[in-house]
Amino acid sequence: MNYKFCRQRTTEREVRCKGIGLHSGAKVSMKLKPAPANYGVRFRRVDMSGSPTIIAHYHHVVDTMLATRIGFNGVTVSTVEHLMAALLGSGVDNVLVELDGPEVPIFDGSAAHYLDLVQEAGTREQGVPCQYLKIERPFYVQEGDSYIKAVPSEHLRVRYTIDFPHRLVGRQEYSWDFDTDTFRKDIARARTFGFLKDVQKLQSMGLAQGGSLDNAVVFDDYRILNRDGFRYSNECVRHKILDFVGDLALTGMRMVGNFEVHKAGHALHNRFLKQLMTKPGYFTVLTPAAIPTCFFPSAAIPTFLDPLQQVVKPL
Ligand SMILES: [Zn+2]
């Protein structure tokens, strides 16, 4: 899709589902509700007094150990990244996510169930141009032998490399160009993965209580433990792209750029965004004013994008 002509979308009707949380193992109910243009993605904790709401934004990331957790004023929502990726992959910009617990349900550890949920809800265009964050100059962050490099491009492309010392994983490299069809086919079904000894250690610490072969690919020292094996021969690196895209979606905008990611994780994904956003010359926020519309006054830019307003420029 040409970013110059894209308009924001929300879901058509309310949908609901139930699943378990990866951390707690407890049941959680989730609703997706349509939201107005420029609303972004927001999470509401209906199990808490006053039903507080958190904007899905990289500044609100408070923990990246097992998953991406956002929080504000002591209210947190964990494991947002697969849902965020599915919303971006479905072209949904604005939605209210209601939860009666502290985690987005993990389902099968991929984004497939969320895509089905959005499909069940249907989507509709909102007449307001999408907002894009476009990489303008090469930008690079590194930590040890992990790095993320972004260079200008007219599309969103992610090339990810992982390297795990396990004979069924090893070095995997995969490149993906953003497209809603290929997202469903090539990325969304890739499940999260882990190694049995790490899972056992986490569970002994009271973490990953909901983790099981139903929601992750798990390896022992030699084998994959899931009876049906992989969904893709390189499922692990595809899942890392899913994670990266979900974490990028926490800008509240669609990204335009070419990203090369090497052995990273949620922590570096988040650090990359935070550092990039302090370097105005390296990106621009595009508001497609060239589209004939009377629906997009500059005042409609979401307030949480305030720090960026000085670099907003029309196409
Ligand atoms: Zn993941």
Side-chain angles (χ1 to χ4, degrees):
M1 182 181 291
N2 187 321
Y3 66 83
K4 291 175 185 171
F5 300 102
C6 179
R7 286 168 192 272
Q8 294 181 28
R9 300 186 81 86
T10 186
T11 46
E12 185 74 48
R13 63 190 76 83
E14 181 180 314
V15 284
R16 61 185 68 194
C17 61
K18 265 191 181 156
I20 64 159
L22 175 65
H23 283 283
S24 63
K27 273 194 180 156
V28 54
S29 297
M30 182 171 81
K31 285 181 191 169
L32 300 186
K33 293 182 163 182
N38 295 319
Y39 184 88
V41 179
R42 303 185 193 191
F43 290 86
R44 176 175 287 164
R45 288 281 304 274
V46 297
D47 58 318
M48 295 181 73
S49 165
S51 299
T53 301
I54 310 172
I55 294 171
H57 193 262
Y58 67 92
H59 264 308
H60 293 161
V61 171
V62 292
D63 184 31
T64 52
M65 194 170 94
L66 274 185
T68 298
R69 180 187 302 186
I70 56 171
F72 189 67
N73 280 347
V75 181
T76 63
V77 174
S78 190
T79 325
V80 300
E81 64 273 19
H82 303 164
L83 174 61
M84 292 302 297
L87 292 170
L88 187 81
S90 309
V92 172
D93 304 276
N94 305 302
V95 73
L96 172 62
V97 183
E98 285 191 353
L99 295 165
D100 66 356
E103 297 181 66
V104 174
I106 188 72
F107 295 113
D108 66 354
S110 80
H113 193 84
Y114 310 118
L115 277 191
D116 292 344
L117 205 60
V118 172
Q119 197 164 40
E120 184 191 334
T123 66
R124 66 182 165 85
E125 207 174 78
Q126 296 180 285
V128 176
C130 295
Q131 200 164 47
Y132 286 87
L133 194 152
K134 188 173 187 301
I135 301 294
E136 297 287 2
R137 285 160 63 182
F139 185 75
Y140 182 83
V141 294
Q142 183 175 18
E143 193 168 292
D145 61 348
S146 305
Y147 64 81
I148 301 174
K149 192 164 105 185
V151 295
S153 161
E154 291 301 300
H155 305 280
L156 170 59
R157 166 178 286 183
V158 181
R159 193 172 94 204
Y160 213 116
T161 311
I162 57 171
D163 196 355
F164 286 90
H166 189 287
R167 68 183 193 90
L168 292 179
V169 187
R171 185 183 168 88
Q172 295 182 3
E173 185 178 317
Y174 191 67
S175 195
W176 175 69
D177 290 291
F178 179 81
D179 176 273
T180 48
D181 289 337
T182 60
F183 179 77
R184 171 173 284 280
K185 195 160 63 71
D186 298 330
I187 302 295
R189 294 179 64 250
R191 293 162 294 174
T192 192
F193 60 96
F195 300 93
L196 187 61
K197 51 179 183 274
D198 297 336
V199 176
Q200 287 167 335
K201 194 168 146 197
L202 287 168
Q203 292 187 331
S204 71
M205 293 161 63
L207 300 168
Q209 297 296 302
S212 77
L213 295 176
D214 292 332
N215 52 40
V217 174
V218 182
F219 304 96
D220 68 10
D221 288 344
Y222 309 100
R223 298 166 300 147
I224 176 171
L225 301 182
N226 306 67
R227 194 185 297 175
D228 296 332
F230 291 113
R231 290 178 176 174
Y232 312 92
S233 60
N234 57 354
E235 185 167 356
C236 298
V237 73
R238 291 180 193 237
H239 185 81
K240 296 295 281 188
I241 292 179
L242 173 64
D243 281 342
F244 183 66
V245 168
D247 287 336
L248 283 188
L250 290 171
T251 54
M253 292 174 272
R254 304 185 183 204
M255 299 289 275
V256 181
N258 207 324
F259 298 86
E260 190 182 319
V261 191
H262 184 73
K263 296 172 67 172
H266 296 301
L268 194 60
H269 299 167
N270 187 245
R271 216 186 96 205
F272 168 79
L273 281 186
K274 282 184 172 159
Q275 292 192 1
L276 172 68
M277 300 307 251
T278 63
K279 303 263 191 301
Y282 287 76
F283 67 92
T284 45
V285 174
L286 301 174
T287 61
I291 298 174
T293 175
C294 56
F295 298 112
F296 201 62
S298 58
I301 294 169
T303 52
F304 65 86
L305 295 174
D306 265 354
L308 308 178
Q309 295 223 15
Q310 69 274 20
V311 292
V312 169
K313 72 171 192 186
L315 285 175

